[in-house]
Amino acid sequence: MADILTKARELSPQDVDAELDALAKRYRAAGGFGVDLLNRLGGSGESLLERLPAPVREGLTGATESALRLAMKGASQSRRLVPDQKPGVDRVVSAAMGAAGGAAGLPGALVELPATTAFLLRSIQGAAAAEGFDPEAESVTFDCIQVFASAGPLAEDDGADLGFVSVRLGLPGGLHKLIAQVAPKLGAVLGQKLAAQAVPVAGAVAGATINYVFAGYYREMAHVHFGLRRLAVEADMPQEELAARLQLRLQRAGARR
């Protein structure tokens, strides 16, 4: 089965511009609530990370790599058993997982981390399928992992970093390399989540809220990523060119704020 079911179709320049405008709007809307949430939880991402015990901070990248590898298996298996759900349902389930993990403080949050990572990857795969891609295809698996390289819902982002939609690694031996590249950035984001959940009971509220934001954010970033890939196929245009045009839109929007 091909990795994408969509074929090239006749699109006018105006059609392409309209698609890019819609993707830019989706990108801007995805993470706006995350930064406000982080501020309410206690300041910058760096200050939250400093609250974690040193061994946990130092092990974040390794733990994230392990979680991503487990997530690849768990997410694909769950899609074969349970059909994709509506975005609202995904966010509620993700929030419940965060609440369960945060209720026990940091130990519970650490146990919950791999499950949440798998659930987020499952949501990303669902977005890929919605854009016409086969989540079981190897190249799509690569791109699903690559979505985690987006800035993250708790990060300040002016739309200038669109590497996750334009940079592609070769398939031979590349998946482990990709996970190693993504893990430090995702680990920093997940570390902020762990720190916010570190206080028992109160951590349940933080975990539920952050997971709710995470589920929406990464699903929307997946729609941006795979929407751009779909547009490249439909318009028969290089993805790099479309990514550059999308980036320009986001930078202009950031400059107007």
Side-chain angles (χ1 to χ4, degrees), residues 217-239:
Y217 175 84
Y218 285 111
R219 189 182 188 103
E220 290 303 292
M221 288 297 101
H223 275 291
V224 172
H225 181 103
F226 288 104
L228 199 69
R229 277 196 63 184
R230 171 185 51 76
L231 181 59
V233 173
E234 291 181 338
D236 194 21
M237 295 176 64
Q239 184 173 333

Side-chain angles (χ1 to χ4, degrees), residues 9 12 81 89 93 115 138 141 175 180 193 198 203 205 233:
R9 60 190 177 97
S12 69
L81 298 174
V89 175
V93 173
E138 192 173 20
T141 298
L175 187 55
K193 164 183 152 60
V205 176
V233 173

Side-chain angles (χ1 to χ4, degrees), residues 139-212:
S139 66
V140 178
T141 298
F142 266 66
D143 281 22
C144 286
I145 295 293
Q146 197 164 311
V147 169
F148 280 124
S150 59
L154 303 181
E156 295 278 5
D157 179 28
D158 62 0
D161 180 12
L162 278 177
F164 77 103
V165 299
S166 57
V167 178
R168 306 288 297 279
L169 296 179
L171 289 178
L175 187 55
H176 292 297
K177 181 180 178 182
L178 178 61
I179 288 176
Q181 288 185 351
V182 169
K185 195 166 191 178
L186 180 61
V189 174
L190 294 178
Q192 297 169 35
K193 164 183 152 60
L194 291 176
Q197 292 177 254
V199 180
V201 183
V205 176
T209 306
I210 291 176
N211 273 29
Y212 185 85

Side-chain angles (χ1 to χ4, degrees), residues 49-152:
L49 287 174
E50 289 172 1
R51 299 180 190 176
L52 290 174
V56 176
R57 286 200 310 271
E58 293 164 2
L60 274 175
T61 297
T64 303
E65 285 193 39
S66 298
L68 283 172
R69 290 193 179 96
L70 289 172
M72 286 170 52
K73 298 179 181 179
S76 296
Q77 290 172 354
S78 72
R79 291 193 78 255
R80 298 188 188 107
L81 298 174
V82 181
D84 292 328
Q85 302 298 314
K86 294 180 179 179
V89 175
D90 274 355
R91 298 185 82 166
V92 170
V93 173
S94 181
M97 293 170 64
L106 184 58
L110 287 168
V111 171
E112 173 235 334
L113 183 63
T116 290
T117 305
F119 190 84
L120 293 175
L121 183 56
R122 160 74 191 258
S123 295
I124 291 170
Q125 290 175 335
E131 294 291 345
F133 289 84
D134 174 17
E136 300 295 324
E138 192 173 20
S139 66
V140 178
T141 298
F142 266 66
D143 281 22
C144 286
I145 295 293
Q146 197 164 311
V147 169
F148 280 124
S150 59

